[in-house]
Amino acid sequence: MALSSLVALSEVETRLLIWGCILQLKADEKFMQAAIDMARKGVFQGQTPFGACIVKDGEMISCRHNLVWESMDITAHAEICAIRDACQRLKTVDLSGCVIYSTCEPCPMCFSACHWARIEKIVYGARIEDAKQFGFNELEISNDIMKQIAGKSSQIEITSDFLRHEACELFGLWDRQDRQRVY
């Protein structure tokens, strides 16, 4: 009798685990889509095709697009803008428990900012090499390599290529604009 209860419990646990994964995937899609939509908005405002969304406990805290050209600040990448906004909204520089959804793999500066802010997880769409193909002056240092360099001091979980096709379409949209500028 006890063994059959364990088997039944195991099936229930398995179903709950699968259901939890499906719900997380849906949430990831929702927040990545928000970052993509924000990047699209930025493109139509003359900015570059990058967006980032920060989420804590299933709630969107910040969603920003790149502001490099608007602010004439080379550090105003979407991830940096979203981190600054999230810190102000939460009144802390510690973003533990937060997830950042970025339309493109964060550059080394943005990865470092995620590390310093103690962001728990990075979910990104396009890769650094995708941005480089459109003329962006990217350092080809992947987030995986940045995490290796950091060793045990970086506990950031990385999910790559999430909705990559949709994120890469932003580069095409940007490339078709009359006023596109790279940096």
Side-chain angles (χ1 to χ4, degrees), residues 24-169:
Q24 183 59 52
L25 183 61
K26 291 289 186 194
D28 287 345
E29 286 177 5
K30 171 184 161 185
F31 296 125
M32 180 60 86
Q33 190 59 55
I36 290 169
D37 292 345
M38 185 58 69
R40 190 176 295 115
K41 177 181 175 184
V43 167
F44 291 129
Q45 293 176 1
Q47 298 303 307
T48 52
F50 303 98
C53 181
I54 295 180
V55 174
K56 185 168 187 169
D57 299 327
E59 180 184 339
M60 188 183 313
I61 305 300
S62 176
C63 196
R64 302 294 300 271
H65 61 72
N66 186 297
L67 292 171
V68 168
W69 292 113
E70 179 180 314
S71 65
M72 287 300 169
D73 175 0
I74 198 64
T75 68
H77 292 195
E79 298 92 338
I80 298 297
C81 293
I83 288 169
R84 288 174 180 160
D85 187 44
C87 287
Q88 288 175 356
R89 289 173 186 260
L90 296 174
K91 299 184 184 340
T92 181
V93 296
D94 184 348
L95 299 180
S96 295
C98 289
V99 176
I100 189 166
Y101 295 85
S102 179
T103 59
C104 190
E105 183 175 9
C107 70
M109 174 185 71
C110 293
F111 180 90
S112 296
C114 290
H115 167 78
W116 291 321
R118 291 182 170 80
I119 288 177
E120 183 176 301
K121 183 177 180 181
I122 297 170
V123 179
Y124 70 83
R127 298 176 187 169
I128 287 174
E129 63 249 26
D130 298 323
K132 192 166 181 85
Q133 287 178 8
F134 280 86
F136 289 92
N137 186 23
E138 299 294 331
L139 292 173
E140 293 185 67
I141 304 171
S142 73
N143 285 195
D144 289 328
I145 290 172
M146 291 290 291
K147 187 172 175 177
Q148 282 179 335
I149 291 168
K152 292 181 181 181
S153 70
S154 180
Q155 300 301 312
I156 298 175
E157 184 181 338
I158 301 168
T159 300
S160 57
D161 299 339
F162 191 79
L163 298 183
R164 182 176 180 209
H165 177 75
E166 293 86 338
C168 285
E169 286 176 346

Side-chain angles (χ1 to χ4, degrees), residues 15-29:
R15 288 180 183 177
L16 287 174
L17 180 63
I18 291 169
W19 183 245
C21 290
I22 290 169
L23 290 176
Q24 183 59 52
L25 183 61
K26 291 289 186 194
D28 287 345
E29 286 177 5

